[in-house]
Structure formats: C-alpha cells, structure tokens
Amino acid sequence: MDNLYFIAILPDQDLSTMIDGIRKECAHDHGVYAALKPPVHITLVPPFKLPAGMESQLSESLKTACNFTPFVQKLENFDGFPEHTIYIQAKKSSALTLVYNNLKSVLKLYNAAPKGPLTPHITIAYRDAKEVYPKIMQQYKKRKLKAEFLVNHFTLLKHNGKHWDVLRDYYASPSNEQLTMSL
C-alpha cells in the first residue's frame, strides 16, 4: 500500500494562527473550505506517493537535505494562480531555493522530485474557489500583508486518510563548506 507525503515549511505558531484566521475568514465569506484541511504551509514538494515500506528510508534520506543555514522568510501581500488559487506571496530567496534544490536532489531517488520552478506561497483558497475566484481576488488584491518568520527546518507530512500529520521536522545543519566564504 502506498502512503501520501508532502514536504513543507510551516511558519511559527503565532503566524500560522494569524494566517489560519485569514483562511477561515475567506472560507466563511466565500464558502470555500478546501484550503482549511492542510496546516498553514509553504509547499516545497507537493504530495507524492511511496510504498509504506520506504518510509524509514525516505526519512533517513531527507537528513541529507538539511545542509542549509536558517533564514528569514518574508511574506508580502496576496496574489493568485488565475481561476483557482488565492495565496499570500512568500518571497523567493537564494536560501529558500537552496532548500528546494536540496530536496529535489534527494527526491530524485524516489521519483518524487518536484517538477518546475519554485513558486513559494501560502494558500488561502483553492480547489473549491474556481467559481468565486474573481470575487475573492478582487477583495484580497487590495489587502496588504507583511510578515516574516525564521526558517530553521522543513517538515515531512503524511496523510492519514483524513488529514495531514507532521511526521518529522528536519533542522538546518549547515556544513563547513557552506559556511566558507571566499573573499
């Protein structure tokens, strides 16, 4: 049997609570509830399936993607993928791209590497938002938001059949090579 996983950055609890409030407000105002199912997150690797017997191997392999220095992730304003998704923009940075590329390298072994470029964001509404997308975008494009949080780990999540559970956090562990700066 296959299990379903995804890998994400989860903001700190205070910021997650604040963003979850925005998601719930959008859900209440527009009748869109799908985005409330997963925790508040920035997706690094979208959901992928692996045989149940490979979980410990995956968990061990992901340790090699921890070669990054903690960094501040900035969030700024709202945007969308036309016709289906409204989100908070997560600013792309070299530090975030490094984590993404580290994960892509590891997950090639499992044929689960993300495809395409990284488009970091925190989803406010999706899937069930198609019919009300223009109305939601009109409302949220006018709103301003600025926030930031420290990223010192990424998280492996596993679907239990009803919702996503945190399986394990992987903390930054920069190597000496990464910390060396040439002048």
Side-chain angles (χ1 to χ4, degrees):
M1 182 174 110
D2 287 347
N3 288 326
L4 190 60
Y5 303 93
F6 87 100
I7 301 171
I9 293 172
L10 306 182
D12 62 66
Q13 189 58 52
D14 289 343
L15 186 56
S16 289
T17 299
M18 186 269 290
I19 293 170
D20 196 45
I22 294 169
R23 296 190 318 174
K24 287 175 179 170
E25 173 190 320
C26 184
H28 179 265
D29 291 351
H30 301 283
V32 291
Y33 299 96
L36 298 178
K37 292 180 182 178
V40 172
H41 68 279
I42 298 170
T43 300
L44 293 171
V45 179
F48 61 95
K49 291 181 179 182
L50 280 181
M54 295 189 72
E55 186 173 293
S56 62
Q57 183 181 346
L58 170 66
S59 186
E60 199 60 31
S61 296
L62 287 173
K63 291 178 184 177
T64 64
C66 293
N67 183 19
F68 68 95
T69 301
F71 60 96
V72 172
Q73 178 60 57
K74 296 179 187 245
L75 306 175
E76 190 172 322
N77 300 328
F78 297 84
D79 205 347
F81 298 125
E83 302 307 315
H84 58 80
T85 304
I86 295 88
Y87 59 81
I88 296 170
Q89 294 180 49
K91 293 300 187 183
K92 204 169 187 179
S93 67
S94 58
L96 182 60
T97 301
L98 174 66
V99 176
Y100 177 73
N101 288 336
N102 288 353
L103 288 166
K104 273 178 81 167
S105 293
V106 170
L107 291 170
K108 281 180 187 174
L109 302 170
Y110 301 93
N111 203 21
K115 293 161 181 57
L118 175 64
T119 307
H121 64 279
I122 296 178
T123 301
I124 301 302
Y126 75 134
R127 289 190 184 153
D128 58 352
K130 192 168 189 169
E131 289 187 21
V132 290
Y133 177 87
K135 186 177 178 183
I136 298 172
M137 274 309 298
Q138 184 178 3
Q139 177 184 354
Y140 281 87
K141 269 298 224 188
K142 296 175 188 173
R143 288 179 72 167
K144 301 292 180 201
L145 182 139
K146 276 191 182 232
E148 60 184 39
F149 63 98
L150 178 67
V151 175
N152 65 359
H153 69 282
F154 61 84
T155 302
L156 175 64
L157 295 104
K158 179 180 177 181
H159 203 271
N160 68 13
K162 292 184 180 184
H163 61 273
W164 292 99
D165 293 325
V166 170
L167 194 58
R168 183 169 179 184
D169 292 323
Y170 294 85
Y171 286 87
S173 180
S175 71
N176 289 336
E177 180 180 304
Q178 184 183 1
L179 294 174
T180 304
M181 184 184 295
S182 57
L183 299 176

